[in-house]
């Protein structure tokens, strides 16, 4: 069914994100999480991200339905309604919601792992580090959770189409 296909797509996307993130970790330094810890965090974050996705998917669908009802009630014609729900809007929703799920699954998994193992982790905000980084995200780059969580409790996205991710180091 469609709900299961969507959940599988979210899980596949989350796995790809975490594999890339882990490869980046290996390049950085020896304080990164071990492969065993990474596998555990990945499995937990995919599961948690999928659970959050089910909740958020319903909210996004409801919001789109409300927008559609509003457009019809305002007397908008078919062309205007189609223009409101174009491919760019669909892409924005997809990119933004995937980022929400990845960040939320990741922070939840890190928190649960820390609680279960007693290990301390730091979660860092990471931008794309290019000329397209926006004025919202630029100052958050390489900042620890204590800084960015004041503004964005679960991390990226900071705005629609945000390209930021999270990074982790084990402390001690």
């Amino acid at each position: 069914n469609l709900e299961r296909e969507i959940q599988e797509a979210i899980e596949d996307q989350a796995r790809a994100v975490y594999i890339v993130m882990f490869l980046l970790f290996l390049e950085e330094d020896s304080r990164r999480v071990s492969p065993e810890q990474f596998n555990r965090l990945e499995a937990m974050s995919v599961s948690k991200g999928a659970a959050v996705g089910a909740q958020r998917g319903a909210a996004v669908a409801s919001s789109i339905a409300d927008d559609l009802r509003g457009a019809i009630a305002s007397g908008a014609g078919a062309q205007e309604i189609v223009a409101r729900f174009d491919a760019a809007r669909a892409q924005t929703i997809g990119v933004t919601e995937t980022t929400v799920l990845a960040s939320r699954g990741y922070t939840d998994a890190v928190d649960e792992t820390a609680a279960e193992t007693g290990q301390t982790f730091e979660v860092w905000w990471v931008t794309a580090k290019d000329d397209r980084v926006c004025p919202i995200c630029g100052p958050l780059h390489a900042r620890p959770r204590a800084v960015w969580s004041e503004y964005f409790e679960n991390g990226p996205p900071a705005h629609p189409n945000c390209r930021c991710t999270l990074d982790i180091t084990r402390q001690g």
Side-chain angles (χ1 to χ4, degrees):
N1 73 30
L2 182 59
E3 184 176 323
R4 182 66 195 147
E5 288 179 32
I6 291 170
Q7 184 173 347
E8 288 174 0
I10 290 168
E11 290 173 1
D12 288 345
Q13 179 68 27
R15 282 188 194 97
V17 167
Y18 295 112
I19 288 168
V20 169
M21 289 172 73
F22 185 58
L23 292 174
L24 293 173
F25 296 159
L26 294 177
E27 293 178 12
E28 301 267 339
D29 68 33
S30 62
R31 294 178 50 171
R32 302 291 181 197
V33 296
S34 69
E36 294 80 19
Q37 289 170 318
F38 172 79
N39 288 336
R40 183 170 189 273
L41 285 169
E42 179 200 23
M44 289 174 62
S45 60
V46 168
S47 171
K48 291 179 178 302
V52 171
Q55 296 168 347
R56 289 194 59 92
V60 168
S62 177
S63 174
I64 291 170
D66 289 346
D67 288 351
L68 182 57
R69 281 192 287 277
I72 293 168
S74 72
Q79 287 181 336
E80 184 180 340
I81 291 172
V82 168
R84 289 185 189 186
F85 299 93
D86 64 358
R89 182 173 182 187
Q91 181 175 352
T92 296
I93 291 169
V95 167
T96 304
E97 290 304 311
T98 298
T99 303
V100 167
L101 301 182
S103 293
R104 181 71 181 275
Y106 197 55
T107 55
D108 286 356
V110 167
D111 293 345
E112 189 172 314
T113 299
E116 289 176 3
T117 65
Q119 292 181 323
T120 306
F121 299 94
E122 185 58 78
V123 182
W124 307 88
W125 189 286
V126 180
T127 68
K129 297 185 265 185
D130 62 20
D131 61 346
R132 292 177 42 214
V133 172
C134 72
I136 297 169
C137 297
L140 296 172
H141 179 71
R143 300 285 185 192
R145 189 182 211 175
V147 173
W148 54 258
S149 65
E150 293 180 35
Y151 308 99
F152 306 100
E153 181 180 354
N154 293 303
H159 51 80
N161 283 320
C162 184
R163 300 177 299 137
C164 294
T165 60
L166 297 174
D167 194 2
I168 181 175
T169 55
R170 185 181 64 230
Q171 305 297 301

